[in-house]
Amino acid sequence: MKELLLSLTLIVYSRIMFQDSPTEAEAADAPRQSPALLDFRHISVMRGDKIVLDDFSLSIDAGEHIAIIGPNGCGKSTLIKTITRECYPLARPGSSLSILGHDTWNVFELRTMLGIVSSDLMYTCTREITGLELILSGFFSSIGIQPYHHVTPEMVDKARQVLEVLEVPHLADREMTELSSGEGKRVLIGRALVHDPLALLLDEPSNSLDIHAALELRGILRKLAQAGTGILLVTHHLPDIIPEIDRVILLRNGKVFADGDKDQLLTAERLSELFGLPVELTRRDKYYHLL
């Protein structure tokens, strides 16, 4: 009798312990959580003799649409240069920086994952090359096409498709020096799109644009966001924040001041505290405006 009870006990125990355990095949088929697009943990970055990002932590998943907002001098530009590996964090215990789960990257490889559109790059690209040449140069991480570059028909087809998506096929044969700021910005976005990146990183995209060009650009960004390209927008112009962006990160003095839902953070009280002066805010057609 005792042996029977012992056997039954072992059977029940085994079922309790193992009934929910997946087999090796089930474990292999189970969905795996993708690594974050950007994962910064307790990083500090210096520019000259000043710490600009101080014990800074931030995680952004692939496919997210995010706006990073802050006053001048809050660390936005340094954050961008840290993402693009132009600036590097100080080596400190507990500090880490990874992109898609990797802490080291070939910069040319990185550009195929994260398309960069910045004012500095716009200035560099404004030279006597055509719009099509600039977009093609995205395949080679260069500015324009050089004699040693091998441009394939497939690359040309892709570049022309990008121009169509951006609604500027007529700019293919025009030189960058002839384009308006709005036209040049779209071609620069095209250069970033040739690799179908997971996300676009845009630094103050509406700078130097007139009202019409800014509205057109926001329409293009909405189109890209709706098609699945992540939008990572760095700005201090609230109207740049397209409706598809639902997460906002506020930066102040090199730190994350607040991080969360757009509708909860874009308030007059929060923004007054962020910018250090009283502001009034209005929302119209899903866009925010300071008064």
Side-chain angles (χ1 to χ4, degrees), residues 17 20 23 27 30 52 82 86 92 101 125 150 152 181 199 203 209 226 250-251 276 285-287:
M17 290 296 292
D20 294 325
T23 65
V52 182
T82 304
E86 296 172 68
R92 290 180 170 175
C125 291
H150 176 59
T152 66
S181 295
D203 178 20
L209 301 188
Q226 291 165 8
L250 307 182
L251 294 190
D285 297 329
K286 300 182 180 181
Y287 284 89

Side-chain angles (χ1 to χ4, degrees), residues 30-39 41 59-64 98-102 198:
R32 297 179 181 178
Q33 186 174 359
S34 299
L37 175 65
L38 302 172
D39 190 14
R41 300 187 184 186
S59 182
I60 296 173
D61 289 331
E64 279 195 278
S98 66
I99 300 175
L100 289 172
H102 299 275
L198 295 174

Side-chain angles (χ1 to χ4, degrees), residues 149-163:
H149 289 150
H150 176 59
V151 178
T152 66
E154 291 77 15
M155 290 178 180
V156 176
D157 287 345
K158 178 64 176 181
R160 292 194 180 279
Q161 289 171 19
V162 167
L163 284 167

Side-chain angles (χ1 to χ4, degrees), residues 36-144:
L37 175 65
L38 302 172
D39 190 14
F40 296 173
R41 300 187 184 186
H42 305 291
I43 68 168
S44 296
V45 180
M46 295 190 71
R47 303 287 296 274
D49 59 356
K50 180 183 177 183
I51 292 182
V52 182
L53 295 180
D54 185 15
D55 193 27
F56 183 90
S57 295
L58 176 65
S59 182
I60 296 173
D61 289 331
E64 279 195 278
H65 306 312
I66 293 175
I68 298 175
I69 307 171
N72 290 336
C74 71
K76 298 191 303 293
S77 296
T78 299
L79 174 60
I80 291 171
K81 290 181 182 298
T82 304
I83 293 171
T84 59
R85 298 303 177 98
E86 296 172 68
C87 291
Y88 289 85
L90 299 174
R92 290 180 170 175
S95 173
S96 66
L97 183 161
S98 66
I99 300 175
L100 289 172
H102 299 275
D103 55 10
T104 58
W105 271 93
N106 179 308
V107 173
F108 295 105
E109 221 174 277
L110 174 60
R111 290 170 183 164
T112 69
M113 302 291 179
L114 185 64
I116 310 297
V117 181
S118 68
S119 299
D120 289 347
L121 188 56
M122 185 75 259
Y123 177 78
T124 304
C125 291
T126 304
R127 55 181 69 180
E128 293 180 346
I129 55 176
T130 67
L132 182 62
E133 287 173 332
L134 181 65
I135 292 179
L136 285 170
S137 70
F139 287 107
F140 307 99
S141 297
S142 63
I143 307 298

Side-chain angles (χ1 to χ4, degrees), residues 168-243:
V168 286
H170 58 286
L171 301 182
D173 298 321
R174 290 183 57 189
E175 291 190 349
M176 293 297 295
T177 51
E178 301 173 354
L179 305 185
S180 68
S181 295
E183 290 171 334
K185 193 65 65 76
R186 286 212 229 180
V187 175
L188 188 61
I189 291 173
R191 179 180 181 274
L193 288 176
V194 291
H195 292 290
D196 297 317
L198 295 174
L200 279 181
L201 172 61
L202 301 116
D203 178 20
E204 306 285 4
S206 66
N207 270 6
S208 77
L209 301 188
D210 61 27
I211 294 174
H212 184 262
L215 289 174
E216 286 189 329
L217 178 63
R218 290 166 197 156
I220 290 297
L221 295 182
R222 295 197 67 183
K223 183 178 180 180
L224 295 174
Q226 291 165 8
T229 301
I231 301 295
L232 178 52
L233 176 73
V234 180
T235 187
H236 60 265
H237 297 294
L238 294 191
D240 286 345
I241 303 174
I242 58 176

